[in-house]
Amino acid sequence: IIDCVPFLIAAMSIMLKVFPDLNLETIDPFTTEPQDIPIELLACAQAMLVAWAIYGSIMESTFGATLGKMVMRLEVISADGKKPTIRQAILRNLIRPIEVSLFMIIFTIAATLLTRTRQRLGDLMARTVVVEKKRSTKVGDQNKDLEDRPREL
């Protein structure tokens, strides 16, 4: 959620600047038919999802975590305990929009609850796991505040 909010704000800001005549007040998520949703809104939503997948893939393959995961002291690791490859990061990030769609959310929740390491479907397919970073407890280690050792959740 921490990573999603900036993308939502940016997408809405860009959409309102690019399409100033777009009236979002007429769209009721419960009664608006899919064919009545403005194409501009759909295009912005798709662009946001692509940008979010690219951001997640680059951050996770480079640093092992997105900014949101860093704040929460979490990281993504491969099944072998190493930083995920770019292929793994892309796969797990491309699966996310499918996982959160209405028809897949039940399977996503079930997978997360039923797997020993609480993996979502994207993690299962990419063979990755999100783990908690552990703080260092070494005495006399003032220069190195944190030592990152993955610990399964």
Side-chain angles (χ1 to χ4, degrees):
I1 291 176
I2 293 171
D3 291 319
C4 181
V5 172
F7 282 96
L8 287 173
I9 292 169
M12 291 300 290
S13 299
I14 292 168
M15 184 178 60
L16 293 174
K17 292 283 186 197
V18 174
F19 307 109
D21 298 333
L22 185 61
N23 186 1
L24 297 178
E25 293 175 7
T26 61
I27 302 171
D28 181 353
F30 300 107
T31 60
T32 303
E33 295 294 323
Q35 65 270 18
D36 295 332
I37 298 173
I39 193 74
E40 297 90 347
L41 182 60
L42 295 175
C44 285
Q46 287 178 332
M48 187 200 79
L49 289 175
V50 168
W52 192 15
I54 291 169
Y55 157 77
S57 300
I58 291 170
M59 290 293 292
E60 290 172 358
S61 64
T62 305
F63 303 107
T66 59
L67 294 175
K69 287 181 187 68
M70 289 176 189
V71 168
M72 298 304 296
R73 305 230 10 98
L74 301 171
E75 68 179 332
V76 179
I77 59 170
S78 182
D80 61 5
K82 298 177 182 174
K83 195 169 39 173
T85 64
I86 187 69
R87 182 186 166 284
Q88 288 175 308
I90 289 170
L91 182 58
R92 73 183 303 278
N93 281 286
L94 287 180
I95 299 298
R96 181 177 287 120
I98 298 168
E99 288 179 312
V100 297
S101 65
L102 290 177
F103 66 92
M104 285 294 294
I105 196 72
I106 298 300
F107 297 109
T108 302
I109 293 169
T112 304
L113 293 175
L114 296 175
T115 57
R116 180 179 57 83
T117 53
R118 303 288 187 241
Q119 292 168 285
R120 60 182 187 82
L121 298 174
D123 285 319
L124 292 171
M125 292 179 74
R127 295 190 175 131
T128 57
V129 65
V130 177
V131 295
E132 196 174 44
K133 287 184 175 183
K134 188 177 179 183
R135 288 192 174 268
S136 175
T137 56
K138 290 183 179 179
V139 178
D141 198 8
Q142 292 86 7
N143 294 332
K144 189 175 176 187
D145 184 31
L146 298 174
E147 181 178 297
D148 298 329
R149 291 189 190 142
R151 181 173 57 107
E152 289 188 8
L153 293 174

